[in-house]
Amino acid sequence: MFSTFSQLKSLDEYFLQKKDSFESVVMEHLRMNGAYWGLTTLDLLGKLETVDQDKVISWLLQCQDESGGFPGNIGHDPHVLYTLSAVQVLALFDKLHVLDIDKNDDGSFSGDMWGEVDTRAATYGSAAYDIIDTIFCCVGALAITGSLHYIDKDLLGWWLCERQVQSGGLNGRPEKLPDVCYSWWVLSSLILIDRVHWIDKGKLAKFILDSQDKDNGGISDRPDDAVDVYHTYFGVAGMKNSRVFSFLPNEVDKAVGVCSDTSGEGREVGLSLLEYSGLKAIDPAYALPVDVVNRIFFSRK
Amino acid sequence: MTEELNSDETNGLNLLKQLEHILESDTLIDEVGFIHPSQFAALNDGSSDDSQYDSTVFWNKDNKLAISTDALFPLYNAAKHTFMTTMKLYKILISSPGEADTNLDGMVTGTISVSGESLETEVMKHSKALLLLSWDFGTAWNSRKLVVLKKQQFLLFMDELLLSALILSYSPKSEHAWSHRRWVIKRIDGKCPNFQDLVERESELVEKIAEGKGNISLLLTAFSVEFLQKSKMNYRAWSHRCWLIAYMTKEQVRNELNKSRKWAELHVGDNSCFDYRQHLLHRMLEHSYSKLDPSGSSYCTPDVYHFWMEELDWNEMLIKRYIGRESLWVHRRFLSQFGLKHFCFTDGSWYPCGVDIDNFVRGEFQLFQSCLTISDTGFEDGQAQGLFAAAYILRVSKQLLNSGAIELQEKLRDLGALKTALNQLCPEKTLLWNDLIGGVNNNL
């Protein structure tokens, strides 16, 4: 077994932005999302403390725009999509207080920070990869605002279940190829409307595990493709959602490398093999570990 | 203050200058490709005629531009750096126009001029080069919006559509490029004399890009296989087309319905086009309602009704021709829902633009039975057909529960058979079928 995180120094490099190829720099505009995906995955694995949080937070604060919002990287224009990721990263580290909330008079997180930011994020925070993430955003927003009774749960649940194809994976629309990231979008929505038992969880778990790079760690969109941080996050988060971990320890042992790079290509990603120590539960609406969400709610005045 | 540049940076800036020179001298470029350096020899063919750029890095002819993959990294770094520096100056300028000159004096490096006009030109020039290399660089798109909005010249808006189309031709799923188009269209709506022509061309552009007919004919890039895969089932392109419907006239909606039928037939596996037709049908219905007199004395909408009937027949024909295609069944599901809501009646009030609900249900059950027969053959497609048909009938039944359809009540007495069929065809979803059929049973 590898000593854990020997290669995680590449996560540091990630924040220092030492990049030497076109493929890696050309994605730098969405580094804030990459930070959220990578760090949440680490936290789910119980390994967040291996990251130099001062470095992450100092980078993150350098990103902040004078309007209060956050961009994808230093010097870029702020956007609610990245602002959500930034707040989520701060929540992971229990550092929400570093934000000067009063300063943000554009409304990005004034007042009740969580209600405000998450509702917006659930509504706008997706780049609409497909119709499914739009559904997730709507269901998530309704869940957060306590309005799930507006949904015909049987009808929506039925449609979501139809996303599961023969291989066990889920697709985003009829006749599309299955993709690991939908494990998150579909499963979270199904859990929120209490219809997750309609899906074949065993087959889905197998599909996610088949999508790993068993030599180097990490998870790709579907079996035999190149891994990246986005799909690793959704794969790990999705697996936790499918609650099938009782028979997974050995597999996860080999499987869940965590990446350090948001290039989306996984080429020079330093993936590390982790010692499995169980996964934390993730909240299906807030997309953060449950203990982080609880910490925020219970510390609220 | 002038920073010391190392040789890599100097090289990058040189390349950027060459690229921007090409972009300025050939404003009609309609194809860009990133190609391996070894491919340049064949392209150049010993006839490099422009000494303004390095012919081992760039190739530009007949409005086509090729860039060596070796140059992308230094080129990108230079483009980004130059753009960010220019943008910083421009932001200072627009935030405090009066003091701009004095503020800027201390910051300007040799090449960049301080006047607002020329700074705007610089922003446009550098953001264009940067976006060609990194098309989801949102900040660069935003900077162009800022300048174009300030200048308010119609032709500049048109230029934005050209740049976005160029980028979409090789990056057909670029969210920023699509969204930039919507921004332009919203801005020129009502200010442009040939707006409806523009809407029509926009719709054609989506179709071209969705078909993968972006310009990859000449420049066989390393990415071309990937490109073809990417251009298929392009959700963003089709969402854009659906968004466009709101800007179409009644006539255009009708034409789009007629024109897109052929495309859908040739791409029965792509549900996007069916989805587009659904949006068009909805729009057509809205148009026909707004035509009604305010008293609401008539609910007759013959044109939409006939389109719906035709669509239903056409869809059945496709279902029988292409066995086991999910998109076709999803479309039928929409059609039956749409029809049941607007054109199906039980009390004889339906003539001349409606159908009797029992007749409709009978027809759908016949289709279901015939598809179930095919599924007995044991072929995979046939099995899929049976499953889709059974799930479809279950959906229709659920919808009809409270409609008073007599025919249905009789049919549903034998729900057990439907349940058996579903569980046989798709045993892994047993829990789903049991819950759903249980739900229907309880409401009978």
Side-chain angles (χ1 to χ4, degrees), chain A:
Chain A
M1 182 65 59
F2 268 35
S3 67
T4 50
F5 288 85
S6 57
Q7 288 159 46
L8 260 186
K9 63 176 186 333
S10 47
L11 194 70
D12 292 344
E13 284 172 11
Y14 171 53
F15 291 109
L16 291 174
Q17 309 189 20
K18 278 188 190 161
K19 288 298 162 198
D20 53 5
S21 75
F22 179 62
E23 288 77 7
S24 57
V25 290
V26 81
M27 304 294 278
E28 65 184 315
H29 56 83
L30 46 76
R31 195 152 303 212
M32 192 63 79
N33 295 149
Y36 160 71
W37 295 326
L39 293 167
T40 306
T41 309
L42 277 179
D43 196 21
L44 290 174
L45 294 162
K47 297 288 181 191
L48 191 61
E49 74 281 3
T50 55
V51 177
D52 182 346
Q53 59 161 278
D54 291 342
K55 202 175 277 175
V56 176
I57 287 169
S58 116
W59 165 76
L60 189 139
L61 289 177
Q62 280 181 66
C63 288
Q64 192 174 20
D65 183 77
E66 38 184 59
S67 70
F70 284 85
N73 209 333
I74 297 171
H76 291 241
D77 286 354
H79 190 283
V80 66
L81 183 70
Y82 306 119
T83 306
L84 168 67
S85 283
V87 174
Q88 282 173 316
V89 167
L90 288 172
L92 286 174
F93 288 121
D94 198 12
K95 292 280 185 202
L96 283 172
H97 55 271
V98 304
L99 291 174
D100 181 1
I101 294 169
D102 292 334
K103 185 176 158 191
N104 309 333
D105 53 2
D106 72 336
S108 54
F109 1 79
S110 39
D112 175 350
M113 186 166 182
W114 272 91
E116 185 75 11
V117 170
D118 253 49
T119 310
R120 285 161 154 258
T123 316
Y124 307 122
S126 149
Y129 191 62
D130 223 318
I131 188 73
I132 286 281
D133 29 340
T134 313
I135 289 178
F136 165 74
C137 292
C138 297
V139 176
L142 290 172
I144 288 164
T145 54
S147 315
L148 278 175
H149 53 277
Y150 288 118
I151 295 181
D152 183 333
K153 295 178 183 170
D154 279 355
L155 220 47
L156 178 61
W158 187 357
W159 192 82
L160 289 168
C161 288
E162 286 175 345
R163 301 302 105 236
Q164 186 161 37
V165 299
Q166 281 295 319
S167 65
L170 301 163
N171 65 14
R173 279 181 296 145
E175 303 205 37
K176 286 202 77 171
L177 290 173
D179 185 316
V180 161
C181 70
Y182 297 121
S183 317
W184 169 260
W185 305 117
V186 175
L187 275 179
S188 309
S189 304
L190 280 171
I191 288 171
L192 291 171
I193 61 170
D194 196 23
R195 294 293 180 277
V196 74
H197 54 283
W198 283 355
I199 222 160
D200 190 331
K201 289 179 264 177
K203 270 179 102 174
L204 174 60
K206 187 175 178 304
F207 175 78
I208 297 176
L209 291 170
D210 286 347
S211 305
Q212 301 154 47
D213 180 336
K214 291 205 169 132
D215 298 323
N216 300 308
I219 297 175
S220 60
D221 53 355
R222 63 186 68 92
D224 301 324
D225 282 355
V227 301
D228 61 65
V229 65
Y230 174 83
H231 289 95
T232 304
Y233 160 68
F234 283 110
V236 173
M239 284 216 286
K240 185 61 203 176
N241 260 350
S242 66
R243 293 170 196 164
V244 288
F245 267 97
S246 52
F247 65 87
L248 289 179
N250 288 331
E251 295 285 354
V252 174
D253 218 6
K254 289 178 278 175
V256 192
V258 170
C259 6
S260 46
D261 193 290
T262 157
S263 71
E265 296 293 322
R267 286 194 193 132
E268 71 291 311
V269 176
L271 295 161
S272 60
L273 297 166
L274 302 179
E275 275 179 304
Y276 177 66
S277 58
L279 293 192
K280 287 194 196 174
I282 184 162
D283 185 290
Y286 290 101
L288 282 171
V290 167
D291 60 344
V292 172
V293 176
N294 285 341
R295 190 165 65 206
I296 291 159
F297 277 120
F298 290 119
S299 66
R300 264 198 327 187
K301 278 168 226 144

Side-chain angles (χ1 to χ4, degrees), chain B residues 154-179:
Chain B
F154 181 67
L155 283 177
L156 287 182
F157 283 104
M158 293 297 105
D159 284 348
E160 293 309 288
L161 290 182
L162 284 179
L163 173 63
S164 147
L166 173 60
I167 285 170
L168 289 170
S169 75
Y170 61 96
S171 175
K173 291 189 175 174
S174 166
E175 177 60 21
H176 281 95
W178 284 115
S179 139

Side-chain angles (χ1 to χ4, degrees), chain B residues 311-438:
Chain B
E311 190 83 357
L312 211 58
D313 289 344
W314 173 67
N315 173 262
E316 180 167 340
M317 183 271 286
L318 291 177
I319 280 179
K320 288 175 174 166
R321 187 189 292 172
Y322 302 99
I323 307 295
R325 301 315 298 255
E326 192 179 6
S327 298
L328 295 175
W329 284 100
V330 170
H331 190 49
R332 190 165 198 83
R333 189 192 285 175
F334 160 82
L335 290 173
S336 68
Q337 198 178 349
F338 186 79
L340 283 168
K341 196 167 168 198
H342 302 290
F343 310 117
C344 289
F345 305 96
T346 50
D347 55 3
S349 68
W350 41 273
Y351 188 79
C353 46
V355 289
D356 180 75
I357 205 162
D358 279 334
N359 279 339
F360 176 74
V361 173
R362 199 173 304 132
E364 297 312 286
F365 267 86
Q366 271 167 12
L367 177 64
F368 162 59
Q369 290 298 348
S370 73
C371 293
L372 214 54
T373 322
I374 302 176
S375 74
D376 290 339
T377 55
F379 291 106
E380 201 177 304
D381 289 348
Q383 296 231 329
Q385 182 87 327
L387 175 62
F388 293 139
Y392 167 71
I393 281 299
L394 182 57
R395 178 74 63 119
V396 172
S397 310
K398 216 167 132 53
Q399 213 175 324
L400 279 172
L401 277 174
N402 301 315
S403 68
I406 305 156
E407 188 81 24
L408 177 77
Q409 306 282 351
E410 283 167 22
K411 299 271 185 207
L412 290 186
R413 264 182 218 146
D414 197 19
L415 269 180
L418 186 58
K419 191 168 164 178
T420 314
L422 283 166
N423 280 325
Q424 247 167 26
L425 290 162
C426 185
E428 60 270 27
K429 292 202 171 92
T430 300
L431 287 173
L432 171 69
W433 307 132
N434 290 351
D435 281 4
L436 290 171
I437 291 175

